[in-house]
Amino acid sequence: MLIGEYNYAMDEKGRLNFPAKFREQMGREFVVTRWLDECLVAFPQSEWQRITQTLMSKSMVKTRDIQRFLFSAAEEVSPDKQGRILLGPALRAHAKLEKEVTVIGVGSYAEIWDTAAWTAKQQSLGSADIEAAMEELDF
């Protein structure tokens, strides 16, 4: 399970250190693509395959925009010897990544955020919102 929050500085080439604890669970190669809330998402290959199979099992007409959104920007990445992954310009632009980056664990996947955007997102989530969402899920 991917949990925790890690802060890094991305270099000018778009290389980002990916948390060692996450690398163990993500495997040698994983998929990074754009995600909701102007962040990126990193899926282990097994989770990416599950998502792909789910989308492919549904009506192409109904899922085409989701497929376009996820697949067109997806990149397979492999951490280098220093544990860094290279994020392409389109992915960096989507998440407005420039220097300070936060990687968070979200159970079966990780999200990659601009640190200021992540801070703002956390501040925007009030306890009443979380409580309502938990109640709706019978948590």
Side-chain angles (χ1 to χ4, degrees):
M1 177 167 289
L2 302 169
I3 58 174
E5 177 179 316
Y6 302 87
N7 295 303
Y8 298 104
M10 186 174 60
D11 72 14
E12 63 282 346
K13 295 180 182 179
R15 294 178 300 196
L16 171 68
N17 195 1
F18 204 75
K21 288 183 179 182
F22 289 8
R23 290 193 310 265
E24 295 169 10
Q25 296 174 56
M26 298 293 281
R28 293 184 60 147
E29 186 175 80
F30 51 94
V31 176
V32 177
T33 192
R34 44 184 176 197
W35 198 230
L36 309 172
D37 301 315
E38 294 185 332
C39 71
L40 303 178
V41 63
F43 291 113
Q45 287 289 349
S46 59
E47 186 68 7
W48 182 249
Q49 292 304 318
R50 187 189 67 74
I51 290 165
T52 299
Q53 289 172 353
T54 298
L55 288 171
M56 297 302 179
S57 72
K58 308 292 182 191
S59 163
M60 188 183 302
V61 173
K62 291 182 180 179
T63 63
R64 69 184 184 273
D65 286 338
I66 298 169
Q67 290 183 44
R68 290 171 182 154
F69 180 78
L70 293 176
F71 298 156
S72 67
E75 297 179 2
E76 291 182 325
V77 299
S78 298
D80 65 13
K81 291 179 182 177
Q82 288 79 36
R84 300 172 301 185
I85 59 171
L86 178 63
L87 300 174
L91 289 178
R92 294 194 312 264
H94 172 78
K96 299 179 176 76
L97 302 179
E98 292 184 21
K99 184 75 173 166
E100 300 302 319
V101 177
T102 300
V103 181
I104 63 168
V106 192
S108 63
Y109 60 91
E111 290 180 348
I112 302 169
W113 287 79
D114 169 78
T115 298
W118 172 240
T119 300
K121 181 66 174 173
Q122 290 182 91
Q123 292 171 350
S124 73
L125 293 173
S127 60
D129 297 326
I130 300 296
E131 182 179 336
M134 291 173 83
E135 181 67 31
E136 185 175 325
L137 295 170
D138 295 325
F139 196 81

